[in-house]
Amino acid sequence: MMEEEDENVPEVVYDGIEMWGGSTEEYEDPNAYEMMEEEDEVVYDSFGLYDEGGNFVAESMEYDESEEYYESFEGGGGGGRYATFGWRIPGGECTWPGPTMRMSRGKTYGLFVRGSGNEDTVTNIHTHGLHIPGHGNADDVTRTVSGSDVIIYEYHIPTYHMGGTHWYHAHWHHHSEQFVGGGAFGMLIVEDGSNVGTGVDAGVEAFLKNEKIFIASNHEDIYGPFIVNGVEGDLESYDFNSDEWYRLRILTVNLDPNTSSRTISFGDECQAYAIAHDGIFRFEVPARTAQNDFSIGDASRLDVAIRCAFDSTISINDETVATIKAGQPSTKSVVPSPFKSSIEGQSWSSTRPDYLADLRDAITYYTYELKLDETNINQQTYSLEKPLCLGHSDVQYGSIYEWELRLSYHPLHLHIYPMQVVSENNECGENHEYGEFYDTITISNEGRGRSRCKVRIAFVDVGGKTLMQCHLFKHGDQGAMAFFHVVGGPTQPNEPRVHECASGLCDEPVSIPLCSSDESLNT
């Protein structure tokens, strides 16, 4: 609930980030990519936002358009592949993948998104994995930008948000496969910050910062093979110090609608442990057992601790996609190690915010069954007029639900709220471990027809409309996607949302009916 405005509340700096949409396939006029004219200061009237404790408050927000916003981006991953659709920062080029975005816990960000210059190319951005509102001026996939218009996404990363490996991509219905297949995606990293876990010492901190990025993707027209970090015509190459531990942030982006799982393998010269799934640290980090083969589903992320004694390779489904060059041993004063006290086998415990607390012994509010198909969820196709009513009703904020998933090979992605696997008998497949959290559940191709997978979700911290979908892009575009509402929780403001609008009517908010508002929806 919004509090009364307090004139003594300190101002909050609005960390500005700018990103231009690029449709180089359809529009190549460089004038479409000109930076906004510099303004000394843009001051917004008071409106609601989250404070650092995750509470909804009313404060004055100021955005100072300075060069500092560039610190939130790294250069694009493009190493060769041409982006027919994509994202870039002002003054840069569209790259495949797009620029890596970095955010810090406890900060509010304004993402200024300009269209491609073509009025017929309508798009938007979804931040895949963030625990932030899916409505208002935040991560709402019904938002749109086109032409030379500029819209503003407001992202508040609360201090309790876990640091992790996420990503962003275009999410305009009917065109997601086309846009992502053309390169409109990139990695998004929430920095770990402090209070990562119990047992985290200087060696672990050094390891967590000792990172490499691995983004594997294919193409909308050429479903395979995968390329890494946009390097085409050659293999991506990583330079390692011999026997030094690195944090490898892995993202897979698949456009093939006939497969939803793959195996990432490291050569025998390397040793690797899982440390996080879908940008969420394991309860105990790292995993107890080292392994060379990891099964990972569509749209999923995997962080591993890896070290190599000699030169090696990285493969996807037995096809080499990258090489590792192991040089001289490290001479760093603080030796990076994923293990507590640098003793192999000694794990540390990750700090768990409420939305990632262990739910295995929790009392559930409701049990619901979900079945995904190529064009629908529970026989209901995507609609802006009819939400998915879970158990004939909206979801109650603050509740815990248990879902029984019948997925075949369709990957279920739930926006905003991570899912904890509570099936003990490998019913969720080799992509998932009992007790760990994921934002996308994928039964591997070999697991088609397997018994049902059970997950639990805590609907806390944020409320409002959200979305679930099959994350095979073709299937989502065909209708395997549905909105539902979490009622009774905090809401996100709609403004500010438009910075420049040529037509006079841009990015109008879209309302989805509540289940409780129309008895005809409760079926």
PDB file of all heavy atoms in Angstrom, residues 74 102 189 191-194 196 200-213 244-249 275 281 303 332 334 336-338:
ATOM      1  N   GLU A  74      28.546  -3.631 -20.509  1.00  0.00           N
ATOM      2  CA  GLU A  74      29.800  -4.045 -21.106  1.00  0.00           C
ATOM      3  C   GLU A  74      29.584  -4.085 -22.603  1.00  0.00           C
ATOM      4  O   GLU A  74      28.461  -4.092 -23.091  1.00  0.00           O
ATOM      5  CB  GLU A  74      30.202  -5.437 -20.612  1.00  0.00           C
ATOM      6  CG  GLU A  74      30.517  -5.477 -19.137  1.00  0.00           C
ATOM      7  CD  GLU A  74      30.877  -6.869 -18.680  1.00  0.00           C
ATOM      8  OE1 GLU A  74      30.688  -7.820 -19.453  1.00  0.00           O
ATOM      9  OE2 GLU A  74      31.328  -6.995 -17.546  1.00  0.00           O
ATOM     10  N   ARG A 102      24.688  -5.000 -16.434  1.00  0.00           N
ATOM     11  CA  ARG A 102      25.007  -5.295 -15.035  1.00  0.00           C
ATOM     12  C   ARG A 102      24.226  -4.359 -14.118  1.00  0.00           C
ATOM     13  O   ARG A 102      24.148  -3.167 -14.371  1.00  0.00           O
ATOM     14  CB  ARG A 102      26.511  -5.156 -14.777  1.00  0.00           C
ATOM     15  CG  ARG A 102      27.341  -6.249 -15.430  1.00  0.00           C
ATOM     16  CD  ARG A 102      28.824  -6.105 -15.094  1.00  0.00           C
ATOM     17  NE  ARG A 102      29.608  -7.160 -15.698  1.00  0.00           N
ATOM     18  CZ  ARG A 102      29.867  -8.334 -15.130  1.00  0.00           C
ATOM     19  NH1 ARG A 102      29.424  -8.591 -13.915  1.00  0.00           N
ATOM     20  NH2 ARG A 102      30.586  -9.244 -15.757  1.00  0.00           N
ATOM     21  N   ILE A 189      23.386  -9.423 -15.548  1.00  0.00           N
ATOM     22  CA  ILE A 189      24.016  -9.907 -14.319  1.00  0.00           C
ATOM     23  C   ILE A 189      23.647  -8.986 -13.162  1.00  0.00           C
ATOM     24  O   ILE A 189      23.813  -7.767 -13.252  1.00  0.00           O
ATOM     25  CB  ILE A 189      25.548  -9.974 -14.474  1.00  0.00           C
ATOM     26  CG1 ILE A 189      25.928 -11.020 -15.524  1.00  0.00           C
ATOM     27  CG2 ILE A 189      26.217 -10.282 -13.133  1.00  0.00           C
ATOM     28  CD1 ILE A 189      27.385 -11.018 -15.908  1.00  0.00           C
ATOM     29  N   GLU A 191      24.927  -8.126  -9.659  1.00  0.00           N
ATOM     30  CA  GLU A 191      26.164  -8.332  -8.908  1.00  0.00           C
ATOM     31  C   GLU A 191      25.870  -8.944  -7.546  1.00  0.00           C
ATOM     32  O   GLU A 191      24.840  -8.645  -6.930  1.00  0.00           O
ATOM     33  CB  GLU A 191      26.909  -7.014  -8.743  1.00  0.00           C
ATOM     34  CG  GLU A 191      27.225  -6.292 -10.045  1.00  0.00           C
ATOM     35  CD  GLU A 191      28.305  -6.978 -10.878  1.00  0.00           C
ATOM     36  OE1 GLU A 191      28.765  -8.074 -10.494  1.00  0.00           O
ATOM     37  OE2 GLU A 191      28.686  -6.413 -11.912  1.00  0.00           O
ATOM     38  N   ASP A 192      26.782  -9.786  -7.077  1.00  0.00           N
ATOM     39  CA  ASP A 192      26.557 -10.502  -5.813  1.00  0.00           C
ATOM     40  C   ASP A 192      26.481  -9.573  -4.618  1.00  0.00           C
ATOM     41  O   ASP A 192      25.679  -9.792  -3.705  1.00  0.00           O
ATOM     42  CB  ASP A 192      27.670 -11.533  -5.596  1.00  0.00           C
ATOM     43  CG  ASP A 192      27.669 -12.610  -6.655  1.00  0.00           C
ATOM     44  OD1 ASP A 192      26.572 -13.066  -7.038  1.00  0.00           O
ATOM     45  OD2 ASP A 192      28.762 -12.987  -7.127  1.00  0.00           O
ATOM     46  N   GLY A 193      27.315  -8.553  -4.581  1.00  0.00           N
ATOM     47  CA  GLY A 193      27.314  -7.647  -3.445  1.00  0.00           C
ATOM     48  C   GLY A 193      27.779  -8.337  -2.176  1.00  0.00           C
ATOM     49  O   GLY A 193      28.540  -9.312  -2.206  1.00  0.00           O
ATOM     50  N   SER A 194      27.285  -7.858  -1.040  1.00  0.00           N
ATOM     51  CA  SER A 194      27.693  -8.415   0.253  1.00  0.00           C
ATOM     52  C   SER A 194      26.680  -9.431   0.750  1.00  0.00           C
ATOM     53  O   SER A 194      25.620  -9.621   0.156  1.00  0.00           O
ATOM     54  CB  SER A 194      27.856  -7.286   1.271  1.00  0.00           C
ATOM     55  OG  SER A 194      26.646  -6.580   1.429  1.00  0.00           O
ATOM     56  N   VAL A 196      26.617 -12.694   0.794  1.00  0.00           N
ATOM     57  CA  VAL A 196      26.308 -13.736  -0.188  1.00  0.00           C
ATOM     58  C   VAL A 196      25.993 -15.060   0.501  1.00  0.00           C
ATOM     59  O   VAL A 196      25.136 -15.816   0.037  1.00  0.00           O
ATOM     60  CB  VAL A 196      27.486 -13.910  -1.171  1.00  0.00           C
ATOM     61  CG1 VAL A 196      27.215 -15.042  -2.159  1.00  0.00           C
ATOM     62  CG2 VAL A 196      27.739 -12.612  -1.919  1.00  0.00           C
ATOM     63  N   VAL A 200      31.576 -17.607   3.370  1.00  0.00           N
ATOM     64  CA  VAL A 200      32.220 -16.939   2.237  1.00  0.00           C
ATOM     65  C   VAL A 200      33.417 -16.152   2.758  1.00  0.00           C
ATOM     66  O   VAL A 200      33.268 -15.206   3.531  1.00  0.00           O
ATOM     67  CB  VAL A 200      31.226 -16.004   1.512  1.00  0.00           C
ATOM     68  CG1 VAL A 200      31.939 -15.183   0.443  1.00  0.00           C
ATOM     69  CG2 VAL A 200      30.095 -16.813   0.898  1.00  0.00           C
ATOM     70  N   ASP A 201      34.597 -16.546   2.339  1.00  0.00           N
ATOM     71  CA  ASP A 201      35.828 -15.883   2.771  1.00  0.00           C
ATOM     72  C   ASP A 201      36.475 -15.174   1.589  1.00  0.00           C
ATOM     73  O   ASP A 201      35.889 -15.079   0.495  1.00  0.00           O
ATOM     74  CB  ASP A 201      36.779 -16.884   3.421  1.00  0.00           C
ATOM     75  CG  ASP A 201      37.073 -18.097   2.541  1.00  0.00           C
ATOM     76  OD1 ASP A 201      36.936 -17.987   1.304  1.00  0.00           O
ATOM     77  OD2 ASP A 201      37.435 -19.160   3.085  1.00  0.00           O
ATOM     78  N   ALA A 202      37.688 -14.677   1.769  1.00  0.00           N
ATOM     79  CA  ALA A 202      38.371 -13.903   0.725  1.00  0.00           C
ATOM     80  C   ALA A 202      38.589 -14.736  -0.531  1.00  0.00           C
ATOM     81  O   ALA A 202      38.482 -14.220  -1.659  1.00  0.00           O
ATOM     82  CB  ALA A 202      39.702 -13.373   1.255  1.00  0.00           C
ATOM     83  N   GLY A 203      38.883 -16.013  -0.360  1.00  0.00           N
ATOM     84  CA  GLY A 203      39.102 -16.875  -1.515  1.00  0.00           C
ATOM     85  C   GLY A 203      37.838 -17.069  -2.326  1.00  0.00           C
ATOM     86  O   GLY A 203      37.860 -17.044  -3.564  1.00  0.00           O
ATOM     87  N   VAL A 204      36.699 -17.260  -1.635  1.00  0.00           N
ATOM     88  CA  VAL A 204      35.418 -17.415  -2.333  1.00  0.00           C
ATOM     89  C   VAL A 204      35.042 -16.109  -3.018  1.00  0.00           C
ATOM     90  O   VAL A 204      34.572 -16.107  -4.170  1.00  0.00           O
ATOM     91  CB  VAL A 204      34.314 -17.851  -1.347  1.00  0.00           C
ATOM     92  CG1 VAL A 204      32.955 -17.835  -2.031  1.00  0.00           C
ATOM     93  CG2 VAL A 204      34.607 -19.246  -0.800  1.00  0.00           C
ATOM     94  N   GLU A 205      35.223 -14.981  -2.335  1.00  0.00           N
ATOM     95  CA  GLU A 205      34.910 -13.688  -2.949  1.00  0.00           C
ATOM     96  C   GLU A 205      35.741 -13.473  -4.210  1.00  0.00           C
ATOM     97  O   GLU A 205      35.232 -12.982  -5.229  1.00  0.00           O
ATOM     98  CB  GLU A 205      35.155 -12.556  -1.955  1.00  0.00           C
ATOM     99  CG  GLU A 205      34.141 -12.522  -0.817  1.00  0.00           C
ATOM    100  CD  GLU A 205      34.427 -11.410   0.178  1.00  0.00           C
ATOM    101  OE1 GLU A 205      35.554 -10.843   0.126  1.00  0.00           O
ATOM    102  OE2 GLU A 205      33.542 -11.097   0.996  1.00  0.00           O
ATOM    103  N   ALA A 206      37.012 -13.823  -4.158  1.00  0.00           N
ATOM    104  CA  ALA A 206      37.879 -13.679  -5.336  1.00  0.00           C
ATOM    105  C   ALA A 206      37.404 -14.590  -6.461  1.00  0.00           C
ATOM    106  O   ALA A 206      37.418 -14.199  -7.642  1.00  0.00           O
ATOM    107  CB  ALA A 206      39.321 -13.998  -4.964  1.00  0.00           C
ATOM    108  N   PHE A 207      36.970 -15.794  -6.110  1.00  0.00           N
ATOM    109  CA  PHE A 207      36.461 -16.719  -7.123  1.00  0.00           C
ATOM    110  C   PHE A 207      35.200 -16.188  -7.793  1.00  0.00           C
ATOM    111  O   PHE A 207      35.063 -16.234  -9.028  1.00  0.00           O
ATOM    112  CB  PHE A 207      36.172 -18.083  -6.480  1.00  0.00           C
ATOM    113  CG  PHE A 207      35.167 -18.895  -7.231  1.00  0.00           C
ATOM    114  CD1 PHE A 207      35.501 -19.501  -8.433  1.00  0.00           C
ATOM    115  CD2 PHE A 207      33.862 -19.031  -6.766  1.00  0.00           C
ATOM    116  CE1 PHE A 207      34.558 -20.233  -9.153  1.00  0.00           C
ATOM    117  CE2 PHE A 207      32.918 -19.755  -7.461  1.00  0.00           C
ATOM    118  CZ  PHE A 207      33.277 -20.358  -8.669  1.00  0.00           C
ATOM    119  N   LEU A 208      34.257 -15.660  -7.004  1.00  0.00           N
ATOM    120  CA  LEU A 208      32.990 -15.189  -7.564  1.00  0.00           C
ATOM    121  C   LEU A 208      33.192 -14.051  -8.560  1.00  0.00           C
ATOM    122  O   LEU A 208      32.400 -13.865  -9.479  1.00  0.00           O
ATOM    123  CB  LEU A 208      32.051 -14.755  -6.448  1.00  0.00           C
ATOM    124  CG  LEU A 208      31.524 -15.877  -5.542  1.00  0.00           C
ATOM    125  CD1 LEU A 208      30.723 -15.298  -4.381  1.00  0.00           C
ATOM    126  CD2 LEU A 208      30.675 -16.868  -6.335  1.00  0.00           C
ATOM    127  N   LYS A 209      34.268 -13.282  -8.384  1.00  0.00           N
ATOM    128  CA  LYS A 209      34.573 -12.180  -9.304  1.00  0.00           C
ATOM    129  C   LYS A 209      35.458 -12.623 -10.471  1.00  0.00           C
ATOM    130  O   LYS A 209      35.641 -11.856 -11.428  1.00  0.00           O
ATOM    131  CB  LYS A 209      35.253 -11.054  -8.540  1.00  0.00           C
ATOM    132  CG  LYS A 209      34.363 -10.414  -7.479  1.00  0.00           C
ATOM    133  CD  LYS A 209      35.122  -9.373  -6.673  1.00  0.00           C
ATOM    134  CE  LYS A 209      34.227  -8.773  -5.584  1.00  0.00           C
ATOM    135  NZ  LYS A 209      34.966  -7.796  -4.734  1.00  0.00           N
ATOM    136  N   ASN A 210      35.993 -13.812 -10.393  1.00  0.00           N
ATOM    137  CA  ASN A 210      36.929 -14.314 -11.415  1.00  0.00           C
ATOM    138  C   ASN A 210      36.123 -15.015 -12.512  1.00  0.00           C
ATOM    139  O   ASN A 210      36.157 -16.227 -12.658  1.00  0.00           O
ATOM    140  CB  ASN A 210      37.921 -15.285 -10.772  1.00  0.00           C
ATOM    141  CG  ASN A 210      39.150 -15.512 -11.625  1.00  0.00           C
ATOM    142  OD1 ASN A 210      39.557 -14.629 -12.385  1.00  0.00           O
ATOM    143  ND2 ASN A 210      39.751 -16.688 -11.503  1.00  0.00           N
ATOM    144  N   GLU A 211      35.360 -14.235 -13.293  1.00  0.00           N
ATOM    145  CA  GLU A 211      34.337 -14.808 -14.144  1.00  0.00           C
ATOM    146  C   GLU A 211      34.704 -14.844 -15.621  1.00  0.00           C
ATOM    147  O   GLU A 211      35.521 -14.056 -16.111  1.00  0.00           O
ATOM    148  CB  GLU A 211      33.032 -14.044 -13.977  1.00  0.00           C
ATOM    149  CG  GLU A 211      33.093 -12.621 -14.520  1.00  0.00           C
ATOM    150  CD  GLU A 211      31.758 -11.897 -14.446  1.00  0.00           C
ATOM    151  OE1 GLU A 211      30.957 -12.185 -13.532  1.00  0.00           O
ATOM    152  OE2 GLU A 211      31.528 -11.015 -15.289  1.00  0.00           O
ATOM    153  N   LYS A 212      34.075 -15.745 -16.328  1.00  0.00           N
ATOM    154  CA  LYS A 212      34.067 -15.829 -17.786  1.00  0.00           C
ATOM    155  C   LYS A 212      32.609 -15.981 -18.213  1.00  0.00           C
ATOM    156  O   LYS A 212      31.784 -16.548 -17.481  1.00  0.00           O
ATOM    157  CB  LYS A 212      34.866 -17.034 -18.294  1.00  0.00           C
ATOM    158  CG  LYS A 212      36.321 -17.077 -17.832  1.00  0.00           C
ATOM    159  CD  LYS A 212      37.183 -16.074 -18.566  1.00  0.00           C
ATOM    160  CE  LYS A 212      38.658 -16.251 -18.182  1.00  0.00           C
ATOM    161  NZ  LYS A 212      39.526 -15.277 -18.899  1.00  0.00           N
ATOM    162  N   ILE A 213      32.268 -15.487 -19.405  1.00  0.00           N
ATOM    163  CA  ILE A 213      30.894 -15.527 -19.907  1.00  0.00           C
ATOM    164  C   ILE A 213      30.797 -16.446 -21.112  1.00  0.00           C
ATOM    165  O   ILE A 213      31.625 -16.377 -22.032  1.00  0.00           O
ATOM    166  CB  ILE A 213      30.400 -14.110 -20.253  1.00  0.00           C
ATOM    167  CG1 ILE A 213      30.190 -13.307 -18.958  1.00  0.00           C
ATOM    168  CG2 ILE A 213      29.109 -14.147 -21.073  1.00  0.00           C
ATOM    169  CD1 ILE A 213      29.774 -11.867 -19.177  1.00  0.00           C
ATOM    170  N   GLU A 244      43.666 -22.714 -12.014  1.00  0.00           N
ATOM    171  CA  GLU A 244      42.991 -21.632 -11.302  1.00  0.00           C
ATOM    172  C   GLU A 244      41.481 -21.794 -11.451  1.00  0.00           C
ATOM    173  O   GLU A 244      40.987 -22.118 -12.531  1.00  0.00           O
ATOM    174  CB  GLU A 244      43.417 -20.277 -11.858  1.00  0.00           C
ATOM    175  CG  GLU A 244      42.731 -19.098 -11.166  1.00  0.00           C
ATOM    176  CD  GLU A 244      43.282 -17.760 -11.622  1.00  0.00           C
ATOM    177  OE1 GLU A 244      44.508 -17.657 -11.792  1.00  0.00           O
ATOM    178  OE2 GLU A 244      42.486 -16.813 -11.828  1.00  0.00           O
ATOM    179  N   TRP A 245      40.752 -21.547 -10.360  1.00  0.00           N
ATOM    180  CA  TRP A 245      39.302 -21.678 -10.384  1.00  0.00           C
ATOM    181  C   TRP A 245      38.663 -20.437 -11.013  1.00  0.00           C
ATOM    182  O   TRP A 245      38.996 -19.309 -10.658  1.00  0.00           O
ATOM    183  CB  TRP A 245      38.741 -21.864  -8.978  1.00  0.00           C
ATOM    184  CG  TRP A 245      38.966 -23.226  -8.398  1.00  0.00           C
ATOM    185  CD1 TRP A 245      39.848 -23.554  -7.412  1.00  0.00           C
ATOM    186  CD2 TRP A 245      38.289 -24.426  -8.756  1.00  0.00           C
ATOM    187  NE1 TRP A 245      39.767 -24.895  -7.129  1.00  0.00           N
ATOM    188  CE2 TRP A 245      38.816 -25.467  -7.947  1.00  0.00           C
ATOM    189  CE3 TRP A 245      37.295 -24.746  -9.683  1.00  0.00           C
ATOM    190  CZ2 TRP A 245      38.381 -26.782  -8.028  1.00  0.00           C
ATOM    191  CZ3 TRP A 245      36.859 -26.058  -9.775  1.00  0.00           C
ATOM    192  CH2 TRP A 245      37.392 -27.057  -8.956  1.00  0.00           C
ATOM    193  N   TYR A 246      37.716 -20.677 -11.915  1.00  0.00           N
ATOM    194  CA  TYR A 246      36.966 -19.609 -12.558  1.00  0.00           C
ATOM    195  C   TYR A 246      35.465 -19.854 -12.376  1.00  0.00           C
ATOM    196  O   TYR A 246      35.021 -20.997 -12.272  1.00  0.00           O
ATOM    197  CB  TYR A 246      37.267 -19.545 -14.063  1.00  0.00           C
ATOM    198  CG  TYR A 246      38.667 -19.083 -14.386  1.00  0.00           C
ATOM    199  CD1 TYR A 246      39.723 -19.999 -14.444  1.00  0.00           C
ATOM    200  CD2 TYR A 246      38.943 -17.733 -14.625  1.00  0.00           C
ATOM    201  CE1 TYR A 246      41.006 -19.584 -14.733  1.00  0.00           C
ATOM    202  CE2 TYR A 246      40.228 -17.308 -14.915  1.00  0.00           C
ATOM    203  CZ  TYR A 246      41.261 -18.235 -14.965  1.00  0.00           C
ATOM    204  OH  TYR A 246      42.538 -17.817 -15.253  1.00  0.00           O
ATOM    205  N   ARG A 247      34.731 -18.760 -12.374  1.00  0.00           N
ATOM    206  CA  ARG A 247      33.266 -18.838 -12.386  1.00  0.00           C
ATOM    207  C   ARG A 247      32.817 -18.661 -13.846  1.00  0.00           C
ATOM    208  O   ARG A 247      32.969 -17.600 -14.434  1.00  0.00           O
ATOM    209  CB  ARG A 247      32.664 -17.733 -11.529  1.00  0.00           C
ATOM    210  CG  ARG A 247      31.134 -17.682 -11.551  1.00  0.00           C
ATOM    211  CD  ARG A 247      30.653 -16.466 -10.758  1.00  0.00           C
ATOM    212  NE  ARG A 247      29.224 -16.460 -10.541  1.00  0.00           N
ATOM    213  CZ  ARG A 247      28.589 -15.606  -9.736  1.00  0.00           C
ATOM    214  NH1 ARG A 247      29.296 -14.688  -9.072  1.00  0.00           N
ATOM    215  NH2 ARG A 247      27.286 -15.654  -9.589  1.00  0.00           N
ATOM    216  N   LEU A 248      32.267 -19.703 -14.428  1.00  0.00           N
ATOM    217  CA  LEU A 248      31.787 -19.656 -15.804  1.00  0.00           C
ATOM    218  C   LEU A 248      30.274 -19.457 -15.782  1.00  0.00           C
ATOM    219  O   LEU A 248      29.534 -20.314 -15.303  1.00  0.00           O
ATOM    220  CB  LEU A 248      32.154 -20.937 -16.549  1.00  0.00           C
ATOM    221  CG  LEU A 248      31.824 -20.970 -18.049  1.00  0.00           C
ATOM    222  CD1 LEU A 248      32.609 -19.894 -18.802  1.00  0.00           C
ATOM    223  CD2 LEU A 248      32.112 -22.345 -18.638  1.00  0.00           C
ATOM    224  N   ARG A 249      29.829 -18.304 -16.277  1.00  0.00           N
ATOM    225  CA  ARG A 249      28.399 -17.981 -16.362  1.00  0.00           C
ATOM    226  C   ARG A 249      27.883 -18.474 -17.709  1.00  0.00           C
ATOM    227  O   ARG A 249      28.303 -17.969 -18.758  1.00  0.00           O
ATOM    228  CB  ARG A 249      28.172 -16.487 -16.220  1.00  0.00           C
ATOM    229  CG  ARG A 249      28.611 -15.882 -14.882  1.00  0.00           C
ATOM    230  CD  ARG A 249      28.286 -14.394 -14.879  1.00  0.00           C
ATOM    231  NE  ARG A 249      28.721 -13.689 -13.694  1.00  0.00           N
ATOM    232  CZ  ARG A 249      27.966 -13.438 -12.618  1.00  0.00           C
ATOM    233  NH1 ARG A 249      26.720 -13.884 -12.595  1.00  0.00           N
ATOM    234  NH2 ARG A 249      28.430 -12.759 -11.592  1.00  0.00           N
ATOM    235  N   ILE A 275      27.394 -24.359  -9.217  1.00  0.00           N
ATOM    236  CA  ILE A 275      27.258 -23.448  -8.078  1.00  0.00           C
ATOM    237  C   ILE A 275      25.923 -22.704  -8.093  1.00  0.00           C
ATOM    238  O   ILE A 275      25.460 -22.244  -7.047  1.00  0.00           O
ATOM    239  CB  ILE A 275      28.423 -22.436  -7.995  1.00  0.00           C
ATOM    240  CG1 ILE A 275      28.427 -21.501  -9.195  1.00  0.00           C
ATOM    241  CG2 ILE A 275      29.757 -23.160  -7.866  1.00  0.00           C
ATOM    242  CD1 ILE A 275      29.385 -20.329  -9.026  1.00  0.00           C
ATOM    243  N   PHE A 281      21.834 -19.215  -6.532  1.00  0.00           N
ATOM    244  CA  PHE A 281      22.815 -20.068  -5.869  1.00  0.00           C
ATOM    245  C   PHE A 281      22.150 -21.306  -5.277  1.00  0.00           C
ATOM    246  O   PHE A 281      21.022 -21.250  -4.765  1.00  0.00           O
ATOM    247  CB  PHE A 281      23.518 -19.311  -4.735  1.00  0.00           C
ATOM    248  CG  PHE A 281      24.608 -18.375  -5.188  1.00  0.00           C
ATOM    249  CD1 PHE A 281      24.555 -17.035  -4.876  1.00  0.00           C
ATOM    250  CD2 PHE A 281      25.684 -18.846  -5.929  1.00  0.00           C
ATOM    251  CE1 PHE A 281      25.557 -16.161  -5.278  1.00  0.00           C
ATOM    252  CE2 PHE A 281      26.694 -17.989  -6.335  1.00  0.00           C
ATOM    253  CZ  PHE A 281      26.629 -16.650  -6.015  1.00  0.00           C
ATOM    254  N   ASP A 303      25.773 -21.639 -13.551  1.00  0.00           N
ATOM    255  CA  ASP A 303      27.088 -21.158 -13.140  1.00  0.00           C
ATOM    256  C   ASP A 303      27.884 -22.349 -12.626  1.00  0.00           C
ATOM    257  O   ASP A 303      27.378 -23.118 -11.793  1.00  0.00           O
ATOM    258  CB  ASP A 303      26.973 -20.120 -12.025  1.00  0.00           C
ATOM    259  CG  ASP A 303      26.463 -18.774 -12.508  1.00  0.00           C
ATOM    260  OD1 ASP A 303      25.719 -18.756 -13.502  1.00  0.00           O
ATOM    261  OD2 ASP A 303      26.799 -17.753 -11.879  1.00  0.00           O
ATOM    262  N   LYS A 332      48.269 -14.799  -8.325  1.00  0.00           N
ATOM    263  CA  LYS A 332      47.447 -13.860  -7.569  1.00  0.00           C
ATOM    264  C   LYS A 332      47.708 -13.986  -6.074  1.00  0.00           C
ATOM    265  O   LYS A 332      47.929 -15.092  -5.558  1.00  0.00           O
ATOM    266  CB  LYS A 332      45.968 -14.095  -7.869  1.00  0.00           C
ATOM    267  CG  LYS A 332      45.592 -13.806  -9.321  1.00  0.00           C
ATOM    268  CD  LYS A 332      44.132 -14.127  -9.605  1.00  0.00           C
ATOM    269  CE  LYS A 332      43.786 -13.816 -11.054  1.00  0.00           C
ATOM    270  NZ  LYS A 332      42.397 -14.189 -11.406  1.00  0.00           N
ATOM    271  N   VAL A 334      45.573 -13.395  -3.642  1.00  0.00           N
ATOM    272  CA  VAL A 334      44.435 -14.115  -3.062  1.00  0.00           C
ATOM    273  C   VAL A 334      44.012 -15.162  -4.069  1.00  0.00           C
ATOM    274  O   VAL A 334      43.563 -14.841  -5.176  1.00  0.00           O
ATOM    275  CB  VAL A 334      43.263 -13.180  -2.739  1.00  0.00           C
ATOM    276  CG1 VAL A 334      42.085 -13.978  -2.182  1.00  0.00           C
ATOM    277  CG2 VAL A 334      43.699 -12.099  -1.749  1.00  0.00           C
ATOM    278  N   PRO A 336      41.756 -17.607  -5.898  1.00  0.00           N
ATOM    279  CA  PRO A 336      40.312 -17.855  -6.011  1.00  0.00           C
ATOM    280  C   PRO A 336      39.978 -19.322  -5.728  1.00  0.00           C
ATOM    281  O   PRO A 336      40.652 -20.226  -6.219  1.00  0.00           O
ATOM    282  CB  PRO A 336      40.011 -17.502  -7.471  1.00  0.00           C
ATOM    283  CG  PRO A 336      41.159 -16.673  -7.936  1.00  0.00           C
ATOM    284  CD  PRO A 336      42.342 -17.190  -7.175  1.00  0.00           C
ATOM    285  N   SER A 337      38.927 -19.546  -4.960  1.00  0.00           N
ATOM    286  CA  SER A 337      38.486 -20.906  -4.672  1.00  0.00           C
ATOM    287  C   SER A 337      36.986 -20.907  -4.416  1.00  0.00           C
ATOM    288  O   SER A 337      36.483 -20.048  -3.674  1.00  0.00           O
ATOM    289  CB  SER A 337      39.204 -21.473  -3.448  1.00  0.00           C
ATOM    290  OG  SER A 337      38.640 -22.736  -3.084  1.00  0.00           O
ATOM    291  N   PRO A 338      36.234 -21.851  -4.986  1.00  0.00           N
ATOM    292  CA  PRO A 338      34.796 -21.931  -4.686  1.00  0.00           C
ATOM    293  C   PRO A 338      34.511 -22.544  -3.324  1.00  0.00           C
ATOM    294  O   PRO A 338      33.360 -22.538  -2.867  1.00  0.00           O
ATOM    295  CB  PRO A 338      34.274 -22.831  -5.802  1.00  0.00           C
ATOM    296  CG  PRO A 338      35.419 -23.725  -6.138  1.00  0.00           C
ATOM    297  CD  PRO A 338      36.650 -22.875  -5.959  1.00  0.00           C
TER     298      PRO A 338
END
